């Protein structure tokens, strides 16, 4: 079953067209890694999937909801799509626990007690149970991003979007975040990850998409894309980063 | 709808009933009780009406009308409305008579009936007490003189200006004239005689060297054709007071000697028991503290409304809707672009006159301050909100949290920390700006100082005290705010 179905997606800022027509699907349980040079439109593409960017043309269907429909209840749809940002975007005025329980409680998904119980379980899962009462400012980058993942998971989403989740981290902290993501993948979460971590894409991704100039240039299994790239631009990009 | 009509009908019926009953009651009483007349007057026009140290209204007008009422056997209720408001209230029938140092003019005679003149005013020149060079109008050649706008003194000075070759500078306040002359900016002042005389009895450092000029006289006024019995009682009472010497006593009480009423010599020691400077400030302290209380009250209330306005227009400014943004921008540009003083004049004088309604000074003041501060608070809130990283809103929205909730629970709590120092700044500015509203008669700290100066002419001591009081209050408030700010940024 298609979790995500994108057809003819275009996005422009004024006269600057960033996405020039994207078609792709994501199956349930797939881990799709989106790679490509900066400015290729991969982050914009990801942000169109939960409407953080408005869609200029084309269709985006997530979980059978048509995001391009003006009357779609976007808040309801977003509850089902978790997102993790490059710069974490934790709420600095709330404790770690409150960061995680805020949305489920505010949106009446759970009672405060239920939400706290779940938050502690999530924190254990990302290895930060002891930081429940800490404030984001006292955490390292890796810890922050793990809390951000727990926060997204607290809404029990069907799909998780990751927008360069390790790009802002010191190298020694990349591993702990990727570890959590790998666990998630193993549990069968549907994930779309914009990343520069080629090793991770190769190891964990079930499919790799290479974007350049607003198009999907090449896609396939990690073996196909990394082992035997067909397109010129893919080859030259991979030569530079590997 | 039907129910509403029924209720309205019932109310009208009720109104008729009460007005009917109401019309019966007074006539039943009138025969055996003294009739009470409502008398309108000015707020400060020393020596005719002004507040004494206890805040009671005293002055020649006040003593005169009370003595006449006692003599003729009627009751009075004084309403201190300000000169223009008192005249308007007389025309609209809200008061029965006006006694407010009102000159009898042909123009006014068309709408009012005046009593016999009870005081001969007319302009008079004053010079600094130690001045020995100015002895006549001739000596003014090439010099500068000070007048107060709209007075007979101003008209008179203008009429002899070319003949004696002097220049004129105009002020708004009698005490400013005195200070101008004492400071040497002008060599002489022209002022309505009783005002000048009263100032001299208060030891304001001015003396007269020329006789009083012929000018208007003051009368008690009723609406044309109305309350003739009141007018008659006033005239009868006045005649009696003049014959039995009570009139002279009243005038002497304020102007030093009885013949002062006709422009005779003025006794500069009449205010006699000269209090020490400290005692004067001490006596005036209750008035100052009351003014300070009003200043704080108006600051708090205005800031409250400014904050609400700021929240509304600030949210509009950061919204994605072009129309809302445009409306908020117009609001800010308008009320930030108009000087506070002009805005106050506009709200208090211009709009009510154009649209034909009345507005109280307190309401006009709160409107003025709220709109002005509201424009600045809007910008503070906009700046605060926009200083928060976009990622915060995106993170909240990506979880399914609606815009409004995200704004209230995620953005504003962080933005407020950024805004606190600017809010404190705005609070201090608004507190100081209340002093500008003294121009429309709001009795806050600055105005309470002006009122005391109008009575005592102690400009330096009073303004020094007022300035120190502002300083103390603002320093205390800033210290409290600092502490609050530290707590907010920690928590």
């Amino acid at each position: 079953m298609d979790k995500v179905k994108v057809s003819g997606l275009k996005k422009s800022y004024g006269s600057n067209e960033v996405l020039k027509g994207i078609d792709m699907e994501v199956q349930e349980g797939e881990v799709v890694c989106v790679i490509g040079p900066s400015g290729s439109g991969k982050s914009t593409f990801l942000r169109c999937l939960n409407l953080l960017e408005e869609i200029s043309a084309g269709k985006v269907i997530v979980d059978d909801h048509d995001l391009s429909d003006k009357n779609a209840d976007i808040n309801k749809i977003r509850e089902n799509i978790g997102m993790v940002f490059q710069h974490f975007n934790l709420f600095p005025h709330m404790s770690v626990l409150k960061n995680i329980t805020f949305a489920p409680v505010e949106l009446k998904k759970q009672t405060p007690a239920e939400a706290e119980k779940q938050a502690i379980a999530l924190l254990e899962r990302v290895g930060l149970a002891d930081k429940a009462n800490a404030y984001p400012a006292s955490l390292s980058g890796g810890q922050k991003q793990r809390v951000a993942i727990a926060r997204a998971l607290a809404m029990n989403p069907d799909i998780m979007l990751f927008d360069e989740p390790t790009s802002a981290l010191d190298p020694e902290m990349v591993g702990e975040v990727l570890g959590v993501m790998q666990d998630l993948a193993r549990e069968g979460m549907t994930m779309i990850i914009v990343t520069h971590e080629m090793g991770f894409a190769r190891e964990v991704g079930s499919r790799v998409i290479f974007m350049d100039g607003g198009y999907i240039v090449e896609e396939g299994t990690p073996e196909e894309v990394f082992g035997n790239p067909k397109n010129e631009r893919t080859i030259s990009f991979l030569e530079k980063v590997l | 709808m039907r129910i509403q009509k029924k209720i309205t009908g019932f109310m009208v019926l009720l109104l008729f009933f009460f007005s009917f009953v109401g019309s019966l009651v007074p006539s039943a009483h009138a025969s055996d009780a003294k009739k009470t007349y409502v008398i309108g007057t000015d707020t400060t026009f020393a020596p005719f009406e002004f507040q004494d140290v206890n805040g009671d209204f005293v002055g020649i007008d006040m003593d005169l009308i009370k003595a006449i009422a006692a003599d003729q056997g009627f009751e009075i209720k004084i309403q201190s409305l300000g000169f223009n408001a008192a005249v308007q209230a007389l025309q609209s029938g809200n008061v029965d008579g006006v006694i407010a140092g009102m000159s009898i003019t042909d123009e006014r005679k068309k709408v009012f009936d005046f009593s016999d003149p009870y005081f001969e005013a007319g302009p008079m020149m004053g010079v600094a007490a130690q001045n020995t060079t100015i002895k006549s109008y001739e000596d003014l050649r090439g010099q500068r003189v000070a007048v107060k706008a709209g007075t007979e003194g101003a008209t008179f000075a203008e009429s002899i200006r070319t003949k004696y070759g002097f220049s004129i500078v105009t002020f708004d306040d009698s005490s400013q004239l005195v200070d101008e002359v004492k400071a040497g900016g002008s060599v002489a002042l022209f002022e309505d005689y009783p005002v000048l005389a009263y100032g001299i009895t208060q030891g304001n450092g001015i003396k007269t060297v020329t006789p009083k000029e012929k000018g208007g006289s003051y009368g008690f006024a009723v609406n044309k054709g109305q309350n003739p019995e009141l007018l008659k009682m006033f005239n009868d009472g006045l005649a009696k007071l003049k014959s039995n010497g009570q009139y002279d006593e009243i005038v002497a009480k304020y102007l030093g000697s009885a013949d002062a009423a006709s422009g005779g010599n003025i006794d500069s020691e009449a205010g006699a028991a000269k209090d020490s400077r400290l005692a004067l400030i001490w006596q005036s302290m209750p008035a100052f503290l009351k003014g300070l209380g009003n200043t704080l009250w108006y600051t708090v209330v205005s800031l409250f409304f400014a904050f609400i306005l700021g929240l509304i227009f600030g949210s509009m400014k950061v919204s994605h809707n072009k129309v809302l943004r445009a409306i908020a921008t117009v609001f800010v540009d308008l009320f930030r672009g108009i000087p506070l003083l002009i805005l106050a004049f506009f709200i208090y004088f211009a709009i009510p006159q154009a649209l034909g309604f009345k507005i109280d000074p307190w309401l006009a003041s709160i409107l003025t301050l709220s709109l002005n501060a509201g424009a600045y608070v809007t910008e503070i809130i906009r700046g605060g909100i926009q200083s928060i990283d976009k990622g915060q809103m995106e993170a909240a929205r990506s979880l399914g949290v609606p815009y409004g909730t995200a704004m209230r629970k995620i953005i504003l709590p962080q933005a407020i920390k950024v805004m606190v120092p600017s809010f404190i700044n705005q609070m201090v500015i608004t507190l100081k700006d209340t002093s500008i509203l003294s121009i429309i008669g709001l009795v806050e700290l600055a105005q309470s100082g002006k009122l005391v100066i109008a009575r005592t002419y102690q400009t330096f001591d009073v303004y020094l005290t007022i300035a120190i009081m502002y300083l103390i209050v603002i320093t205390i408030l800033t210290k409290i705010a600092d502490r609050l700010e530290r707590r907010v940024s920690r928590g």
Side-chain angles (χ1 to χ4, degrees):
Chain A
M1 179 196 137
D2 285 347
K3 269 281 169 196
V4 178
K5 189 167 165 54
V6 179
S7 48
L9 169 62
K10 291 185 178 178
K11 171 68 187 176
S12 323
Y13 298 101
S15 60
N16 179 24
E17 197 172 37
V18 182
L19 299 179
K20 298 174 179 168
I22 304 280
D23 299 280
M24 58 95 73
E25 296 94 43
V26 179
Q27 307 291 313
E28 181 157 13
E30 259 194 300
V31 177
V32 177
C33 292
V34 183
I35 60 171
S38 43
S40 60
K42 49 193 195 308
S43 278
T44 306
F45 163 63
L46 193 75
R47 289 160 60 86
C48 283
L49 299 183
N50 68 352
L51 235 54
L52 281 185
E53 299 292 344
E54 266 179 63
I55 296 165
S56 304
K59 239 179 159 52
V60 175
I61 294 171
V62 178
D63 258 345
D64 292 332
H65 298 289
D66 185 355
L67 297 194
S68 22
D69 177 5
K70 293 277 178 234
N71 297 320
D73 182 357
I74 186 59
N75 291 328
K76 207 82 207 145
I77 300 169
R78 277 174 179 155
E79 288 180 7
N80 232 5
I81 312 172
M83 183 152 191
V84 174
F85 299 84
Q86 179 179 354
H87 294 288
F88 331 123
N89 298 348
L90 292 181
F91 307 134
H93 58 304
M94 295 177 177
S95 69
V96 164
L97 194 71
K98 191 76 203 300
N99 261 277
I100 299 172
T101 59
F102 171 71
V105 172
E106 193 62 37
L107 300 173
K108 308 237 168 6
K109 286 256 178 193
Q110 295 170 338
T111 66
E114 284 167 1
E116 261 182 44
K117 208 171 139 203
Q118 180 191 249
I120 304 258
L122 284 169
L123 281 174
E124 269 164 16
R125 198 159 137 195
V126 300
L128 291 170
D130 56 325
K131 297 288 185 190
N133 295 315
Y135 277 81
S138 67
L139 302 181
S140 74
Q143 291 171 329
K144 280 182 194 166
Q145 197 60 300
R146 284 187 279 156
V147 172
I149 294 173
R151 178 177 68 178
L153 290 173
M155 291 298 289
N156 296 312
D158 282 346
I159 306 166
M160 287 281 285
L161 309 177
F162 292 84
D163 188 4
E164 305 196 19
T166 57
S167 297
L169 296 179
D170 289 336
E172 74 270 22
M173 293 172 183
V174 171
E176 59 192 73
V177 172
L178 292 182
V180 170
M181 289 167 64
Q182 193 162 8
D183 290 345
L184 259 184
R186 220 174 275 140
E187 289 159 24
M189 175 66 77
T190 309
M191 294 159 74
I192 303 175
I193 305 162
V194 171
T195 186
H196 293 293
E197 296 295 328
M198 297 305 151
F200 177 82
R202 176 177 260 167
E203 200 180 320
V204 184
S206 49
R207 188 144 53 101
V208 173
I209 288 177
F210 173 70
M211 278 183 73
D212 192 19
Y215 294 104
I216 292 180
V217 174
E218 189 161 356
E219 68 178 303
T221 63
E223 292 74 31
E224 286 166 356
V225 175
F226 289 110
N228 187 18
K230 295 186 178 61
N231 191 292
E232 275 305 310
R233 284 187 279 175
T234 320
I235 295 168
S236 89
F237 173 74
L238 289 176
E239 268 172 7
K240 275 179 225 153
V241 297
L242 289 178
Chain B
M1 269 311 267
R2 278 221 339 257
I3 293 181
Q4 225 167 22
K5 249 184 206 164
K6 260 187 196 165
I7 293 176
T8 318
F10 181 66
M11 297 280 271
V12 169
L13 217 70
L14 217 65
L15 217 67
F16 268 118
F17 176 70
F18 278 115
S19 54
F20 177 67
V21 172
S23 66
L24 290 177
V25 175
S27 59
H29 273 270
S31 50
D32 56 312
K34 285 182 185 175
K35 175 142 193 199
T36 299
Y37 293 96
V38 181
I39 307 295
T41 186
D42 199 353
T43 38
T44 349
F45 184 50
F48 290 95
E49 43 266 330
F50 58 98
Q51 281 180 299
D52 67 8
V53 283
N54 305 318
D56 296 327
F57 275 93
V58 295
I60 295 174
D61 281 350
M62 297 298 100
D63 288 8
L64 210 53
I65 189 79
K66 278 175 202 160
I68 290 173
D71 182 68
Q72 297 290 313
F74 61 91
E75 299 278 340
I76 51 164
K77 192 170 160 249
I78 300 289
Q79 280 195 354
S80 164
L81 301 167
F83 187 77
N84 289 325
V87 170
Q88 278 169 23
L90 181 57
Q91 278 180 293
S92 63
N94 288 337
V95 299
D96 299 308
V98 165
I99 185 161
M102 189 180 196
S103 299
I104 303 171
T105 64
D106 290 340
E107 216 170 292
R108 285 179 182 151
K109 275 187 191 164
K110 285 179 200 157
V111 281
F112 302 127
D113 287 333
F114 280 97
S115 69
D116 300 334
Y118 66 85
F119 197 94
E120 298 296 328
M124 194 171 190
M125 182 171 79
V127 297
Q130 57 287 47
N131 185 316
T132 52
T133 55
I134 309 286
K135 294 194 183 71
S136 69
Y137 299 148
E138 264 321 315
D139 301 324
L140 293 176
R141 197 164 296 281
Q143 304 281 9
R144 193 163 87 155
V145 306
V147 300
K148 179 178 162 188
T151 57
E152 283 196 304
T155 318
F156 176 73
E158 188 56 42
S159 72
I160 60 165
R161 184 173 62 85
T162 32
K163 185 175 170 197
Y164 294 106
F166 55 84
S167 62
I168 294 176
V169 56
T170 306
F171 292 90
D172 277 339
D173 210 315
S174 298
S175 62
Q176 288 169 351
L177 297 189
V178 172
D179 291 325
E180 164 82 357
V181 169
K182 279 173 24 185
S186 297
V187 291
L189 57 86
F190 283 89
E191 174 64 283
D192 288 359
Y193 156 72
V195 177
L196 178 60
Y198 174 72
I200 292 173
T201 64
Q202 294 302 303
N204 67 352
I206 297 289
K207 67 175 180 184
T208 55
V209 288
T210 51
K212 183 182 80 150
E213 294 297 330
K214 191 104 190 85
S217 43
Y218 295 160
F220 170 76
V222 297
N223 229 357
K224 197 152 191 74
Q226 284 169 22
N227 289 318
E229 79 289 353
L230 178 60
L231 204 57
K232 183 168 183 319
M233 285 192 286
F234 187 92
N235 283 337
D236 292 350
L238 181 63
K240 204 155 160 206
L241 296 188
K242 276 191 170 166
S243 65
N244 70 11
Q246 225 180 318
Y247 175 86
D248 288 345
E249 273 173 40
I250 290 172
V251 172
K253 181 171 158 197
Y254 294 100
L255 293 181
S257 70
D259 52 340
S262 50
N265 56 336
I266 303 160
D267 180 0
S268 69
E269 291 305 306
K274 278 273 142 257
D275 293 318
S276 77
R277 293 166 62 183
L278 215 61
L280 167 84
I281 296 302
W282 187 245
Q283 273 178 358
S284 311
M285 208 32 97
F288 293 161
L289 287 175
K290 197 160 165 247
L292 179 64
N294 279 339
T295 288
L296 291 172
W297 171 245
Y298 281 96
T299 306
V300 168
V301 173
S302 304
L303 281 178
F304 174 76
F305 288 116
F307 194 78
I308 291 175
L309 286 174
L311 267 180
I312 293 171
F313 288 104
S315 319
M316 282 164 72
K317 267 219 137 172
V318 296
S319 87
H320 295 291
N321 186 319
K322 259 190 203 149
V323 179
L324 291 183
R325 273 208 312 268
I327 293 172
T329 305
V330 169
F331 169 79
V332 170
D333 288 354
L334 197 63
F335 292 110
R336 205 170 51 173
I338 301 176
L340 195 61
L341 184 67
I342 306 300
L343 186 60
F345 281 156
F346 211 74
I347 290 176
Y348 186 60
F349 295 120
I351 296 179
Q353 274 177 33
L355 303 181
F357 67 93
K358 275 192 274 183
I359 185 167
D360 287 330
W362 66 266
L363 184 58
S365 301
I366 286 177
L367 268 174
T368 306
L369 288 170
S370 302
L371 288 170
N372 176 273
Y376 286 97
V377 173
T378 298
E379 281 301 295
I380 294 172
I381 288 179
R382 179 199 59 76
I385 289 173
Q386 287 181 347
S387 74
I388 304 304
D389 181 33
K390 256 176 43 210
Q392 291 290 310
M393 180 56 93
E394 287 181 351
R397 296 306 306 275
S398 78
L399 291 162
V401 178
Y403 178 85
T405 313
M407 187 54 89
R408 270 187 301 116
K409 299 263 171 100
I410 303 297
I411 306 299
L412 281 181
Q414 299 181 55
I416 280 171
K417 284 183 202 175
V418 182
M419 299 173 198
V420 165
S422 309
F423 279 142
I424 293 169
N425 204 26
Q426 186 58 46
M427 177 187 77
V428 170
I429 290 172
T430 301
L431 194 146
K432 289 192 288 189
D433 278 353
T434 52
S435 64
I436 295 178
L437 277 317
S438 65
I439 204 79
I440 60 170
L442 182 72
V443 187
E444 38 62 70
L445 184 50
Q447 177 74 353
S448 65
K450 280 194 204 168
L451 290 178
V452 170
I453 292 172
R455 184 178 75 232
T456 64
Y457 289 89
Q458 300 302 314
T459 311
F460 181 83
D461 292 346
V462 171
Y463 280 139
L464 179 69
T465 311
I466 297 286
I468 291 173
M469 287 174 78
Y470 273 115
L471 254 179
I472 292 174
V473 168
I474 285 171
T475 310
I476 291 174
L477 284 178
T478 350
K479 288 274 175 273
I480 294 173
D482 275 352
R483 200 162 287 184
L484 200 79
E485 187 186 342
R486 251 173 288 157
R487 192 178 297 175
V488 168
S489 59
R490 236 184 297 144

